[in-house]
Amino acid sequence: MWQATYLFDWAFLLPLLPALSFVIVGLLGPRLKRLEHGGWVAVGFGFATMVIGVWIAVEEMLSSGGYTDQQYTWFSIPGNGTGTFPNGFSLVVGTLVDPISALMLIVVTVVGFLVLLYSIGYMHHDGGLPRYYAELSLFLAAMNGLVLSDNLLEFFLFWELVGVCSYFLIGFYYEKPSAASAAKEAFLVTRVGDILFLLGIFVYFATYATSGSAGGWAANGFPFVQGNQPFLAGAMGGHSTTLTIAGLLILGGAAGKSAQFPLHVWLPDAMEGPTTVSALIHAATMVAAGVYLLAVASLFLGFTPADQLAIVAIGGFTSFFAATMALVNTDIKRVIAYSTISQLGYMVLAVGAGFAMVGLYHLFTHAFFKALLFLAAGSVIHAVGTQDLFKMGGLGKSMRITGFAFLVGGLSLSGIVPFAGFWSKDDLLASVYGTLATHPVYWPFFLMALATVFLTAYYIFRAFFLAFSGPASRDPTLPTAHEASWVMTGPLLALSGLAMGAGLLPFIPAFASLLPGAGIPPHYGLSELALSGISLGLAAGGIGLAYSLWGNGKVYTAAPNSALGPVRALLLRRYYFKDAYDAIGLRGLYGLSRAADFVERYMIDGTVHGLERAFGGLSNRLRHIESGVVLDYAAFLVSGLLFLLLFLLVIAPWLVSTGGI
């Protein structure tokens, strides 16, 4: 048996190295002009992180998927023999290397390094480069820390740091009102999910922290493993209602981070940040953290059947819902953003159906071909200076490498054999299909996911044909397009190779150990082959329709009174969800804020200031009594004595005789 413990002991370097890059670039970046204001420093640290991350993943493969947990006590409260924790309580931090964290390390470190390298060319002419590379390094540190966390509390801390970095990077061009607004929108919407996630942690802790069946939660905080074995929900026993509530709260947190319905509205607007940010954070890593959370919760804590149905419903509906909005969008980045939401819905669907590892398999392949699509789009934007698909055209002739990269990404996203997306998407659909006999309630959401295959192929090749096919650009005022430098084309070619071959990696027995229990390599029986044929047919139909309407320079225009007009308007307005949220914010939350302001201003502050004025006026009147004249003071003294005498001789006896006292 392969023993690989030495390198696992150094897994803490994975968040530490990018954190050091953040400090160095943040402090010295303005002075490092010859190093792209710290860009090459970030690339160097990113490369070292990638080497260690991939090396750890390889050793995890060779060790047949074991669990290595290095824990360190954060703080400890001694026990006094009584109370909730009679034996005391400790919170720990640690690094957990297991199959799914190793799989995520490959995604985060490889895509992170390639995006950093690509940024050297893409961000060359932008201002604020030290801030950009420092924030990107901090994000990589947070994401590596998240996937290596060995307990829920540590997971949540890195989860929040990931969200903060996303806010900074979405609003990188903060002088643009739209970018500043998008950053605030992303921050607020994801905070809703984060609050739900935190409440879920509280429920888990309150229910199981002192449970004897939990096997020492009080000593280990919120562990994912015990004794180098996964801590499965079966060990908890009972508490089905509580577990359902906790699971729904966890789903809320994942929906916020992974932009699932109804918390999906922030991701398309997040495209206001640099395209490199979109490729790394909003395609490959951060938004995948929600799916990763669901997978971790499914494997280590477990979901009840009610939770599973809710997760399946959210995932299946979101996959179809987001794909429809991509059909008509004219912004190349937003088309890919809607695609991201849709594909994340696929992953959530798989986790809910009980196939967490299959969902992670699709997460793995999706990270590469989606990052490829974003970076190819960035290369186009870098060359022509616009994101409007209807102003592009004919770029395939002058940007052959970029056109090839976008084509590979589109074929993989569409699920065309033998590209990476085909293997993971087909395995996902086949797995969910296998549950329909015992869970017929899943049928509508499976059919939505299946229909999404057609929509996905159509919208991504609509974008491809509008941008790259045809004789020339539709806007003659755009600059002549040309291919970028090697620091941009190199990552495109590397990601193209991964988008073509990453789906085949699980067929290697050692790599398959990172996806235990996933049914990988997929088993292709008659029903699986039939489903693959249907899926391929739908994808081919979508590509064919896109070519007939948009291929070779054509631009489809609906008739003026066509029934498609209202549908197109509905999709462009995002089913009016954004308008509804804005109305809720303006009329609901703003109205509530004004009411709170009224209470504070006129009731609380008014009462305080009223008492202040009353006592001030009274004291102002009383201070005139202090005249300094001795005769006045003698008169006050005599008056007081006369009143006291009157009270004792007249008033008090009368009150006694009448029974008043």
Side-chain angles (χ1 to χ4, degrees):
M1 178 72 67
W2 173 273
Q3 298 295 325
T5 58
Y6 176 76
L7 192 59
F8 292 163
D9 292 344
W10 294 90
F12 69 89
L13 288 175
L14 292 170
L16 180 60
L17 289 176
L20 288 174
S21 174
F22 163 72
V23 173
I24 294 171
V25 175
L27 294 176
L28 303 178
R31 302 180 182 180
L32 302 175
K33 295 182 179 180
R34 294 185 178 181
L35 296 176
E36 287 290 325
H37 294 281
W40 283 110
V41 174
V43 170
F45 276 100
F47 178 75
T49 305
M50 179 185 68
V51 170
I52 296 174
V54 173
W55 194 350
I56 287 177
V58 170
E59 293 211 0
E60 177 67 16
M61 297 178 210
L62 298 176
S63 65
S64 300
Y67 292 79
T68 304
D69 190 14
Q70 301 291 327
Q71 289 190 342
Y72 311 91
T73 300
W74 186 1
F75 70 84
S76 179
I77 301 175
N80 56 7
T82 61
T84 305
F85 302 108
N87 298 320
F89 179 74
S90 298
L91 284 178
V92 300
V93 294
T95 56
L96 170 63
V97 178
D98 65 344
I100 59 174
S101 64
L103 187 76
M104 288 296 294
L105 285 178
I106 296 175
V107 171
V108 175
T109 60
V110 171
V111 176
F113 166 70
L114 292 175
V115 168
L116 282 169
L117 180 61
Y118 181 95
S119 298
I120 297 295
Y122 186 81
M123 299 294 293
H124 177 71
H125 298 292
D126 282 66
L129 289 183
R131 175 166 55 92
Y132 169 81
Y133 288 112
E135 290 170 355
L136 213 57
S137 297
L138 182 61
F139 169 79
L140 289 173
M143 196 67 203
N144 283 326
L146 185 147
V147 302
L148 290 170
S149 296
D150 77 335
N151 61 81
L152 279 174
L153 183 59
E154 182 183 351
F155 191 104
F156 183 77
L157 293 176
F158 282 114
W159 174 280
E160 287 297 287
L161 186 56
V162 164
V164 169
C165 293
S166 176
Y167 168 77
F168 290 147
L169 288 164
I170 294 171
F172 179 74
Y173 302 117
Y174 60 88
E175 294 178 350
K176 290 174 54 180
S178 58
S181 176
K184 289 185 287 186
E185 179 186 20
F187 186 82
L188 292 173
V189 174
T190 54
R191 287 295 74 72
V192 174
D194 293 353
I195 292 172
L196 296 175
F197 180 23
L198 185 59
L199 291 175
I201 293 175
F202 290 160
V203 172
Y204 276 121
F205 182 73
T207 306
Y208 301 113
T210 59
S211 172
S213 63
W217 275 55
N220 295 318
F222 310 84
F224 288 152
V225 296
Q226 292 179 1
N228 287 337
Q229 294 298 322
F231 178 69
L232 298 177
M236 292 182 176
H239 304 292
S240 60
T241 301
T242 304
L243 194 59
T244 297
I245 295 172
L248 293 176
L249 291 170
I250 294 295
L251 172 60
K257 194 71 79 181
S258 290
Q260 296 296 283
F261 177 87
L263 301 178
H264 63 281
V265 294
W266 67 270
L267 186 57
D269 293 333
M271 298 303 106
E272 291 290 339
T275 306
T276 47
V277 171
S278 303
L280 178 60
I281 295 184
H282 305 125
T285 53
M286 176 192 136
V287 292
V291 176
Y292 181 67
L293 169 63
L294 287 177
V296 167
S298 175
L299 295 169
F300 293 114
L301 300 174
F303 291 119
T304 64
D307 289 334
Q308 288 185 283
L309 177 58
I311 296 170
V312 165
I314 292 295
F317 176 76
T318 302
S319 66
F320 180 81
F321 175 74
T324 59
M325 290 183 281
L327 297 175
V328 298
N329 211 280
T330 60
D331 186 317
I332 188 171
K333 286 179 63 177
R334 288 178 183 257
V335 170
I336 305 172
Y338 285 120
S339 170
T340 299
I341 301 173
S342 178
Q343 295 300 304
L344 290 168
Y346 270 147
M347 303 169 205
V348 171
L349 171 67
V351 174
F355 300 96
M357 288 301 185
V358 176
L360 290 176
Y361 179 26
H362 194 55
L363 184 156
F364 177 75
T365 61
H366 172 265
F368 299 122
F369 64 71
K370 188 53 61 67
L372 173 63
L373 286 169
F374 265 116
L375 293 186
S379 185
V380 169
I381 297 167
H382 186 263
V384 299
T386 182
Q387 298 176 198
D388 190 343
L389 286 165
F390 284 86
K391 293 182 179 180
M392 301 177 190
L395 297 176
K397 297 177 180 179
S398 55
M399 304 182 69
R400 296 183 182 276
I401 296 177
T402 300
F404 169 77
F406 199 98
L407 177 62
V408 169
L411 290 170
S412 188
L413 173 63
S414 302
I416 301 299
V417 65
F419 295 89
F422 165 79
W423 305 103
S424 58
K425 181 262 298 175
D426 263 32
D427 194 24
L428 189 152
L429 291 176
S431 298
V432 177
Y433 178 77
T435 67
L436 298 180
T438 55
H439 298 83
V441 71
Y442 293 174
W443 262 109
F445 309 109
F446 171 77
L447 292 176
M448 288 181 184
L450 193 61
T452 302
V453 175
F454 174 82
L455 300 181
T456 301
Y458 171 78
Y459 68 65
I460 198 62
F461 273 90
R462 168 181 173 267
F464 173 77
F465 291 134
L466 281 171
F468 295 98
S469 71
S473 171
R474 298 175 186 84
D475 187 346
T477 64
L478 293 180
T480 302
H482 59 85
E483 203 63 82
S485 63
W486 71 269
V487 292
M488 293 175 63
T489 57
L492 288 179
L493 293 174
L495 287 169
S496 296
L498 289 167
M500 288 189 283
L504 296 173
L505 290 177
F507 287 86
I508 302 172
F511 190 92
S513 66
L514 299 185
L515 294 162
I520 296 171
H523 170 70
Y524 283 96
L526 184 60
S527 59
E528 289 84 5
L529 287 173
L531 188 60
S532 290
I534 294 172
S535 176
L536 285 171
L538 289 171
I543 296 172
L545 179 61
Y547 180 79
S548 66
L549 298 178
W550 313 98
N552 201 27
K554 295 192 294 290
V555 176
Y556 172 75
T557 303
N561 297 324
S562 171
L564 295 177
V567 175
R568 182 176 183 274
L570 178 67
L571 297 179
L572 286 175
R573 295 301 295 268
R574 311 188 206 180
Y575 293 92
Y576 294 95
F577 268 93
K578 182 74 183 303
D579 296 334
Y581 286 158
D582 288 344
I584 291 172
L586 181 62
R587 299 176 184 175
L589 296 180
Y590 182 64
L592 183 63
S593 299
R594 292 191 64 181
D597 178 71
F598 176 84
V599 171
E600 180 185 5
R601 188 186 301 272
Y602 297 105
M603 297 180 68
I604 298 176
D605 287 352
T607 300
V608 172
H609 294 316
L611 290 173
E612 176 190 357
R613 286 191 293 270
F615 283 107
L618 179 62
S619 63
N620 187 52
R621 291 176 180 273
L622 291 176
R623 70 187 177 87
H624 292 294
I625 297 175
E626 299 292 333
S627 61
V629 179
V630 175
L631 292 176
D632 291 344
Y633 296 155
F636 294 150
L637 179 61
V638 171
S639 298
L641 290 173
L642 289 174
F643 175 79
L644 181 61
L645 184 63
L646 178 66
F647 179 81
L648 293 174
L649 296 178
V650 180
I651 298 176
W654 178 79
L655 290 174
V656 171
S657 64
T658 59
I661 56 175

